[in-house]
Every structure is written in C-alpha cells, then in structure tokens.
Amino acid sequence: MSLYVPFLVVGMLFTGSSNSLWTKFQDMQCVENCNDPDPSKRVYFEQPVWQTVQMFIGEMCCFLPVLFALIRHRNYRVVPSDAIKEEKPAMRGWKFMLFWLPALCDLTATTLMNVGLLYTPVSIYQMTRGSLVLFVGVLSVVFLKRRLHPHQWFALIVVVLGVAVVGLSASLTKQALSQPGDLEPRSIEEGPNEVAVVVGVLFVLFAQIGTAIQFVLEENIMSTYSVTPLVAVGFEGLFGLLTILLVSPIMIHFKSKSDFFDLARGYHQMVDNPPVLGSSVAIATSIGFYNFFGMSVTRHVSATMRSIIDTCRTITIWIVSLGLGWEALVWPWSLLQVFGFSLLVYGTFLFNSLISPPPFLKAPATVEYTAIPTEDDEDGRVRGVVIEDREAAAGRSLDQTATLPSDVGMGFDVVPPPVPRVDPARRD
C-alpha cells in the first residue's frame, strides 16, 4: 500500500505527458494536399471536436475491467473499501448522473485546450495549464468557503505573473523566429504569428476555469459517495460522448464558418490517414489511463495534489519537444520562458505549503493540541503549549478543496474549544 500512491503519481505523470505530446503530433499531420508544392495549400489535422471525442472514448474504456469483473463473477458488486471505512453511501441509480456535470466541464475545457494547442507550442500550452491552481484556489474560497492564508494569496499572484511571462515569451519567441516552424497555426494566414500564439494561450487559460470547476465537482462527489475511480471515469466519458452526439446536429450548421465543426470531413481525415488514426488510438489509451490515475490521486490524496502533478509534467514535455525539434531555443526569450515556468512551479508549491513562504509572510502556525506540561525552562517554570489558532487545533495542512475529516486532531466533528492554561504549581 505504501507504493500505491507513488505508482499513481508516476502513472499520471507519464500518461499525461504522453497525451499532450501525441495530441500535438496529431495536429502536425498533413491530411489533404500534402504533395502540393505550395505549403499554404496543405491542410493539417485541425479537429478539436474529434480530439475531444477520442478523449471520451478513452475514458469509456475504463468500463472494460469493470464489465470483465461483472461477467467473470456473476454476483460481483463494486463496493469500494472506503464505503466501510468512512461510512459513505454507495452511488446507485440516478446519482450516477451527477458525473454529467464534471463531464460538461471536461468537454468545454478540453475543446478549448485543443483549439489553443493548434496555435501554441506544446510546452507553452502545458505551462499555461499551470494556472489551474489559481482557479482552484479562487473557487475554493468562493464556492467551498475555504480560508486561504496570506502566503497562499501571494502564491496565486505569483502564478498569474508566471502565466503572463510565459505568454509574453511565446509571443517574443515567435516574433524572433525568421523561418516558419512546424508549430505555426495552419489555417490562419493573416495577422502576425505572435498574435495567434497569444490567442492560443488565452484559449488554454480560459479552459482552466472549466477544469478547475471539474476538479472541485469531482472531489465533492467522490467525498460524498462511495464510487471507484474506474466507474467514475467511465461515466464521465459516457456522458461526455452523449453530449457531443446531442449537440452534433447544431455544430454541423456552423461548418461553413469554421472547419472545426465539419465533423464528416474530420472523420475522413482521421480514418484515411494511418498516422492520425494511430495517434488517435494512442490519445484515447493515454487519456483513459491518465484520468484513472488522476481520479485515484484525487480520491487517495487531493485535487490539489492532482494539479501539482499536472504542473510538474511540464518540464518533461518541454525537454521531449526540444529533442524532437518541435521547438527551438531562442535567446534570450527562452530564458524568459524558463523564468515564467519557474514562477508557475514556485507559486504552485507555495500555495500547497510544500516550500517555506517568504519571511514577510506569516506561515500557518503548527499547533499541538495538548494541555500537558512539556518541560521546565531555565527559571524552573513549567511550560505548556498554548493554542492560538482554533482551526489549527482541528487539523493542520487542510487541503483547500477537501472537506474536514472527522478524525483530525482529537477526533471531534467540530473544532474543539481552547484548552485552559495549566497551573504550574499542580503536578498531579
């Protein structure tokens, strides 16, 4: 059991990085007029809606091991162990419809991110996703009524600055490149390249709002009902795919305005090109495992830790992209990109109290809940622990998107009252 959580973290890191790289590889594939000597007439795979469908199909594949267990054991019933440990009600019947809400958020966020990925380098795309902790923190205060410490508000400001620096570095890098690269927008020929990159960054940035809402909804559902991560991911994929099927007749009417909504053309581009089809299978497989690992991390650790892992995989994606030649180091703007990424990582780690805050910010006090005299000082007087923060007495390092567990501190369901000071003269 001690190796289970590290296994989930490594699995989420690997599958998440693979998914972003495979998606960018798919965007770079030429699907029409590939032999035309005029590069402007070549058509590349730009189908964010179909890429979202691939994601939901991959999530639905999480049903396969559950169905296999049901077929092999006729009387098998999925009852997670936490149903007994935490006495949470099992999710049954219409309550599974609750996963439609995070599925809608996932649908919106993924489509926006796929559009943004068309116009941004994959490392810039992933760095911008590091702003997720900003929206998670704000939503935790607004909707979950959590209290953020001063160093956490400072961390959110650092994250905002990091996102701004990353977007600026992307624009300056594109402007500095004299020759068009593989990562330029394929279908937008008017306007400077740096403008398209900034627009792509904004798409990815707005998508993080939907992802933050998704994470908060998932944690609330998982903390309220007893449901396995495989079943949760499978239902999100099912409801997401049903939503796309329901709105597809509406999207077809907009195909004249954007190729993104030409579903029939996108289907033939995907099926008739082996590299695109193969990468579709890889995307569906990686996203299925990634969501399983991510949901498991949310269940066993927290949604905040899930966002931390998502931020840490950025450096892996950037190194692989440089090795494949998808991106280039442009001095000194690449240093600015690294600086922006460093701000994102620092802000994320500081928000979750993984590193010490600056001296001018007061850190959350670590209070030991006890009234027993500890030791004598130099004057022979007995020193006891004085509780100054009642919330800290109930539990330290509470996750900002998690509910207060009943077994924190002394085991009270509510915050206990302060303990009176101990009389030094009494020794009994």
Side-chain angles (χ1 to χ4, degrees):
M1 189 64 178
S2 60
L3 296 178
Y4 184 62
V5 173
F7 169 74
L8 295 177
V9 172
V10 174
M12 183 180 174
L13 185 65
F14 175 76
T15 55
S17 302
S18 300
N19 180 259
S20 297
L21 293 170
W22 279 114
T23 304
K24 191 61 189 182
F25 170 80
Q26 193 175 67
D27 292 338
M28 297 167 59
Q29 300 306 306
C30 180
V31 291
E32 295 179 7
N33 304 326
C34 299
N35 296 324
D36 197 305
D38 186 1
S40 62
K41 296 182 180 179
R42 299 174 186 174
V43 179
Y44 293 84
F45 188 77
E46 296 178 347
Q47 298 294 334
V49 177
W50 276 109
Q51 289 176 332
T52 306
V53 171
Q54 296 168 10
M55 178 196 69
F56 285 132
I57 292 177
E59 292 181 355
M60 285 183 59
C61 290
C62 292
F63 275 139
L64 295 179
V66 178
L67 295 176
F68 175 76
L70 291 175
I71 294 175
R72 186 174 181 181
H73 306 282
R74 300 288 182 176
N75 298 325
Y76 178 80
R77 187 165 60 97
V78 179
V79 179
S81 58
D82 58 0
I84 301 177
K85 295 179 180 179
E86 304 179 14
E87 298 181 353
K88 292 188 295 187
M91 178 172 282
R92 296 188 181 92
W94 66 269
K95 294 179 180 178
F96 285 107
M97 298 283 290
L98 293 174
F99 284 111
W100 207 314
L101 296 177
L104 291 176
C105 297
D106 198 7
L107 170 62
T108 303
T110 303
T111 303
L112 290 177
M113 285 189 289
N114 287 335
V115 174
L117 187 57
L118 291 172
Y119 308 119
T120 57
V122 65
S123 65
I124 299 294
Y125 159 84
Q126 189 60 38
M127 290 180 186
T128 308
R129 293 189 63 181
S131 63
L132 177 63
V133 67
L134 166 66
F135 300 107
V136 171
V138 173
L139 291 177
S140 67
V141 173
V142 176
F143 296 104
L144 301 180
K145 308 302 179 184
R146 306 301 178 193
R147 183 172 67 91
L148 297 184
H149 297 286
H151 77 282
Q152 292 175 314
W153 286 113
F154 177 76
L156 296 183
I157 297 176
V158 173
V159 169
V160 173
L161 293 177
V163 172
V165 171
V166 167
L168 177 63
S169 66
S171 175
L172 295 176
T173 301
K174 278 292 181 182
Q175 191 175 11
L177 291 175
S178 58
Q179 297 180 354
D182 289 332
L183 301 181
E184 293 185 25
R186 307 299 187 181
S187 58
I188 300 180
E189 298 179 1
E190 66 278 3
N193 292 334
E194 59 270 15
V195 174
V197 174
V198 173
V199 171
V201 169
L202 292 177
F203 269 109
V204 180
L205 191 61
F206 286 130
Q208 302 316 301
I209 301 177
T211 304
I213 298 175
Q214 174 194 349
F215 281 9
V216 173
L217 289 174
E218 286 176 347
E219 182 163 347
N220 282 335
I221 295 173
M222 299 288 285
S223 62
T224 304
Y225 298 98
S226 177
V227 57
T228 59
L230 284 174
V231 175
V233 175
F235 272 107
E236 283 194 17
L238 175 63
F239 293 141
L241 187 60
L242 288 177
T243 303
I244 293 180
L245 293 177
L246 291 176
V247 301
S248 58
I250 301 176
M251 290 190 293
I252 293 177
H253 293 288
F254 293 94
K255 65 179 183 180
S256 60
K257 299 182 179 297
S258 175
D259 293 336
F260 295 165
F261 303 109
D262 195 344
L263 301 182
R265 183 183 181 187
Y267 173 80
H268 288 289
Q269 290 178 351
M270 180 175 60
V271 175
D272 298 339
N273 293 270
V276 177
L277 183 60
S279 58
S280 299
V281 176
I283 291 172
T285 304
S286 61
I287 200 63
F289 281 102
Y290 171 73
N291 279 276
F292 165 71
F293 287 127
M295 192 75 72
S296 299
V297 169
T298 299
R299 177 187 176 192
H300 293 282
V301 188
S302 69
T304 307
M305 179 59 68
R306 184 176 177 180
S307 65
I308 293 175
I309 300 171
D310 193 72
T311 303
C312 292
R313 65 188 172 112
T314 304
I315 189 64
T316 304
I317 293 175
W318 187 41
I319 293 175
V320 173
S321 300
L322 289 174
L324 295 175
W326 294 357
E327 300 182 30
L329 292 175
V330 179
W331 305 99
W333 309 128
S334 293
L335 291 178
L336 188 63
Q337 180 178 344
V338 174
F339 176 69
F341 169 66
S342 302
L343 289 178
L344 285 173
V345 174
Y346 175 77
T348 303
F349 283 21
L350 179 61
F351 180 85
N352 294 282
S353 301
L354 297 179
I355 56 178
S356 300
F360 60 87
L361 294 175
K362 182 181 179 181
T366 301
V367 180
E368 183 180 357
Y369 190 83
T370 178
I372 302 176
T374 55
E375 59 181 339
D376 295 340
D377 58 15
E378 296 179 356
D379 299 331
R381 291 176 299 180
V382 179
R383 293 189 302 174
V385 179
V386 180
I387 295 180
E388 298 178 354
D389 189 348
R390 295 182 62 195
E391 181 177 350
R396 52 175 300 197
S397 302
L398 293 180
D399 187 88
Q400 299 302 318
T401 60
T403 57
L404 178 64
S406 60
D407 57 346
V408 172
M410 292 296 293
F412 297 101
D413 291 332
V414 295
V415 178
V419 176
R421 294 176 178 271
V422 179
D423 186 1
R426 295 183 59 183
R427 288 292 184 171
D428 52 350

